Amino acid sequence: MCQAAGEPNPVRWHAAVTNPGCEIQVRDAMARRGVDTVLPMLRFWRVRNRKRIIAERPLMARIVVFGLDPSSQHVAGIYGLERIVRGASDRWAVLDQGEVQDLRLRILRGEFDATLRQTDPQLEVPPLIRHLVKIGALPYSATCTHKAARNLGLKFKDVA
């Protein structure tokens, strides 16, 4: 949407709770209606049929962040949408636009992509991936390059 310089931005950012496993479906349905959405995806290596592939899953389970202009857009009736997060005043909780923009920048920088180090070994592991390895959500071998993992004695299926 375009807006003239100096006009306030009518888009307000909210969070939607989806049914389990329906995040991508809700994001796509909102996009078809012209609603701006942000759904960070965690990319990682997986082995399927003895082939190493890149897999993705939503970083935030059951949550889709969306920007809505109430004068021209609506989200009612989207299949897979359970509810909109409400604030203390029983209205939809409004997210800070700066935080949403920061989330978009982090997605663009690749902070949620564990596969980047496979192609560029000199690239530092992003902070979020380090945190996921620290808490045990991702194995350490997911952050190694294939060559480094082989030097550590890990098998191919353990690296992915």
Side-chain angles (χ1 to χ4, degrees), residues 33-154:
R33 293 184 181 195
V35 177
D36 193 10
T37 60
V38 178
L39 180 62
M41 300 295 284
L42 180 64
R43 294 181 69 187
F44 54 96
W45 290 106
R46 176 175 281 165
V47 174
R48 284 247 167 100
N49 298 328
R50 291 188 272 172
K51 291 184 181 177
R52 193 172 187 199
I53 62 169
I54 294 176
E56 287 186 324
R57 70 173 182 211
L59 181 68
M60 301 177 288
R62 299 185 65 192
I63 300 292
V64 175
V65 177
F66 66 97
L68 189 68
D69 179 3
S71 65
S72 64
Q73 298 169 332
H74 63 91
V75 293
I78 292 180
Y79 182 77
L81 180 64
E82 184 178 307
R83 62 186 164 85
I84 308 298
V85 176
R86 296 192 179 273
S89 64
D90 204 32
R91 294 179 185 234
W92 289 2
V94 178
L95 303 175
D96 181 40
Q97 186 171 1
E99 290 180 11
V100 174
Q101 296 303 326
D102 181 52
L103 179 61
R104 281 191 161 159
L105 288 174
R106 292 177 72 188
I107 292 169
L108 291 174
R109 282 195 304 258
E111 289 188 24
F112 310 117
D113 191 348
T115 64
L116 289 177
R117 294 212 63 229
Q118 305 297 331
T119 56
D120 185 1
Q122 303 305 320
L123 186 67
E124 182 183 346
V125 177
L128 180 68
I129 303 300
R130 279 196 308 257
H131 174 71
L132 291 174
V133 169
K134 183 178 177 182
I135 64 171
L138 278 177
Y140 167 74
S141 57
T143 64
C144 295
T145 63
H146 184 65
K147 183 177 180 181
R150 193 172 47 222
N151 291 341
L152 290 172
L154 296 173

